[in-house]
């Protein structure tokens, strides 16, 4: 079974992490468990693991920090669990990062897209428009065929039509 194999590999990571002197190594084990729980559909458990991972990371230290990656996983788990407010907080935390977003600039940009969708779903048209516009501004020189970019353009046009 794929889950059993994934868990066995995660346990191997834990054995290695237990032999190292930092909490950061154990956080990767917990991250693996969170990703496994997402695949299993146990979103509350995934949220629990990702929150532990984020807590273990501590403060931002430099360009190599994985904070945006961790928060993105957490936000995805909240969305899958139907918790828009939890996802909103996690995506806003990505935007508030300084050095913790440098390694994963794509996740920083995509956080604007996701926030646009959340604001749209909550009926906050101006918030949705603001976030879609910022996402598209950041993404203008990146992959033109990215599904999120095409979707953001379509959603933005629809929202602007509604506002008129």
């Amino acid at each position: 079974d794929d889950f059993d194999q994934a868990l066995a590999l995660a346990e191997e990571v834990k054995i290695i992490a237990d032999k190292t002197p930092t909490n950061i190594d154990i956080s990767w084990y917990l991250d693996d468990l969170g990703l496994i729980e997402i695949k299993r559909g146990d979103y509350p458990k995934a949220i629990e693991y990702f929150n532990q991972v984020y807590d273990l990371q501590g403060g931002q230290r430099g360009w190599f920090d994985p904070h945006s990656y961790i928060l993105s996983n957490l936000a995805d788990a909240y969305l899958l669990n139907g918790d828009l407010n939890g996802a909103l907080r996690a995506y806003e935390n990505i935007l508030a990062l300084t050095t913790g977003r440098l390694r994963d600039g794509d996740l920083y940009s995509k956080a604007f897209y996701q926030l646009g969708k959340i604001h749209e779903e909550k009926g906050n048209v101006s918030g949705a428009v603001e976030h879609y516009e910022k996402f598209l501004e950041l993404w203008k020189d990146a992959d033109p065929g990215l599904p999120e970019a095409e979707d953001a353009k379509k959603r933005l046009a629809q929202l602007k039509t509604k506002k008129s």
Side-chain angles (χ1 to χ4, degrees), residues 26-152:
I26 197 69
S27 71
W28 291 117
Y29 162 71
L30 295 169
D31 183 69
D32 288 344
L33 293 179
L35 293 171
I36 290 167
E37 294 305 331
I38 281 181
K39 292 289 185 189
R40 282 186 170 165
D42 190 344
Y43 309 126
K45 190 70 173 167
I47 290 166
E48 182 182 321
Y49 282 130
F50 293 136
N51 274 313
Q52 289 177 42
V53 172
Y54 191 72
D55 290 344
L56 285 171
Q57 285 300 310
Q60 301 171 72
R61 296 169 304 281
W63 66 267
F64 49 84
D65 288 330
H67 290 78
S68 56
Y69 166 78
I70 296 163
L71 286 168
S72 182
N73 284 344
L74 178 60
D76 290 347
Y78 276 125
L79 281 177
L80 290 166
N81 199 43
D83 183 348
L84 291 180
N85 291 327
L88 184 84
R89 283 189 310 274
Y91 286 124
E92 285 176 343
N93 285 338
I94 291 172
L95 301 187
L97 292 171
T98 54
T99 59
R101 70 177 185 189
L102 297 177
R103 184 172 102 167
D104 297 305
D106 60 322
L107 298 177
Y108 171 76
S109 299
K110 287 179 184 179
F112 284 100
Y113 168 72
Q114 293 292 6
L115 283 166
K117 286 176 58 176
I118 291 169
H119 282 290
E120 184 178 357
E121 190 166 334
K122 291 177 130 236
N124 179 358
V125 173
S126 63
V129 166
E130 175 187 337
H131 286 92
Y132 287 140
E133 286 177 340
K134 183 64 176 177
F135 167 69
L136 291 169
E137 176 188 326
L138 290 170
W139 210 263
K140 69 180 181 278
D141 295 324
D143 300 331
L146 182 76
E148 291 92 339
E150 297 306 316
D151 185 53

